[in-house]
Amino acid sequence: DAGVIQSPRHEVTEMGQEVTLRCKPISGHNSLFWYRQTMMRGLELLIYFNNNVPIDDSGMPEDRFSAKMPNASFSTLKIQPSEPRDSAVYFCASSWFGGKYDEQFFGPGTRLTVL
Amino acid sequence: AQKVTQAQTEISVVEKEDVTLDCVYETRDTTYYLFWYKQPPSGELVFLIRRNSFDEQNEISGRYSWNFQKSTSSFNFTITASQVVDSAVYFCALRSPETGANNLFFGTGTRLTVIP
């Protein structure tokens, strides 16, 4: 299995620009998670989906952030407009919720820098 | 509410020493799951172990071992005969499905440096 795939791996953009992060979960997994990691706040959950449906988006910082999962094999996290404080590493993870082994497997992350 | 505490921010050991990383958790649920992840300098998060609340048996995997004690709400991780490749940030995490949450609550991590 290829594991969780994220793109791009690195993104540098200017304040005010739209940023779209992409994630392909492990085939067969039914849960997908978006996390953000910063030095100040550590690892924090932004949103997660079960069977393509958003279940908990309480971690989404504000309306500038939005996430979609149009099908079981693809999800996006969009920031519009981006701000310097959005600079962080964004991880996508997937798991098989409801199974005996439901640990989350993480993608390599996208390092976002907003200038 | 769920909470994970990793009181050790940074630990340095000399190669071949044993080291224990502490993890203390809080939850009101009777069914829950505990995890350890490793984040090497390259940045990815690597799953190490999953343990459910009904299984207090300690686990050993090569040089790694885990000690789960419900009485003290702890799930400690020991590396025996540490190696330079063990240098990483280690995260303990908790999932409590009874509250309807499928997400992980992470501790703040412990940065382990193994000195050659």
Side-chain angles (χ1 to χ4, degrees):
Chain A
D1 200 318
V4 177
I5 299 173
Q6 290 186 248
S7 65
R9 294 293 306 276
H10 302 272
E11 178 80 25
V12 180
T13 190
E14 293 187 348
M15 182 174 62
Q17 296 298 307
E18 177 181 298
V19 175
T20 299
L21 310 182
R22 297 173 176 79
C23 175
K24 177 179 169 56
I26 292 174
S27 178
H29 281 184
N30 59 0
S31 292
L32 183 140
F33 308 79
W34 282 101
Y35 291 88
R36 179 171 67 176
Q37 185 177 33
T38 61
M39 289 295 293
M40 292 297 294
R41 300 174 67 90
L43 269 163
E44 51 181 346
L45 177 72
L46 300 178
I47 185 172
Y48 81 89
F49 298 82
N50 277 353
N51 297 314
N52 314 337
V53 177
I55 302 300
D56 182 357
D57 64 354
S58 59
M60 296 287 263
E62 47 198 275
D63 291 345
R64 297 184 298 105
F65 285 69
S66 63
K68 294 182 179 180
M69 192 165 186
N71 57 61
S73 60
F74 184 65
S75 176
T76 59
L77 178 67
K78 185 177 293 186
I79 308 173
Q80 166 64 20
S82 58
E83 297 182 3
R85 60 193 167 122
D86 301 331
S87 297
V89 179
Y90 290 81
F91 287 101
C92 176
S94 71
S95 71
W96 172 244
F97 179 54
K100 181 178 180 182
Y101 302 102
D102 60 354
E103 52 268 22
Q104 295 178 22
F105 292 91
F106 284 75
T110 295
R111 182 174 295 277
L112 174 65
T113 303
V114 183
L115 303 174
Chain B
Q2 290 82 13
K3 185 179 179 182
V4 175
T5 301
Q6 294 181 257
Q8 305 151 306
T9 304
E10 296 190 26
I11 300 176
S12 291
V13 298
V14 177
E15 198 170 21
K16 297 184 183 178
E17 287 184 348
D18 299 346
V19 59
T20 295
L21 310 182
D22 298 333
C23 173
V24 175
Y25 62 92
E26 294 178 30
T27 179
R28 287 193 291 263
D29 294 336
T30 55
T31 300
Y32 52 89
Y33 302 86
L34 296 161
F35 304 80
W36 276 95
Y37 284 83
K38 173 182 179 180
Q39 187 172 41
S42 52
E44 71 272 24
L45 279 155
V46 179
F47 165 75
L48 294 179
I49 190 171
R50 171 189 187 273
R51 174 65 75 221
N52 73 53
S53 53
F54 297 108
D55 182 5
E56 286 193 75
Q57 196 169 16
N58 290 333
E59 174 111 3
I60 298 175
S61 176
R63 295 184 297 105
Y64 294 173
S65 62
W66 290 269
N67 184 356
F68 175 31
Q69 290 194 344
K70 291 178 72 171
S71 60
T72 56
S73 297
S74 65
F75 186 42
N76 297 338
F77 174 29
T78 297
I79 301 175
T80 304
S82 59
Q83 299 176 3
V84 173
V85 294
D86 297 326
S87 295
V89 180
Y90 291 86
F91 291 94
C92 181
L94 166 71
R95 184 168 79 78
S96 293
E98 286 185 5
T99 58
N102 187 21
N103 51 298
L104 291 175
F105 293 89
F106 282 90
T108 51
T110 297
R111 180 177 299 277
L112 172 65
T113 301
V114 181
I115 303 166

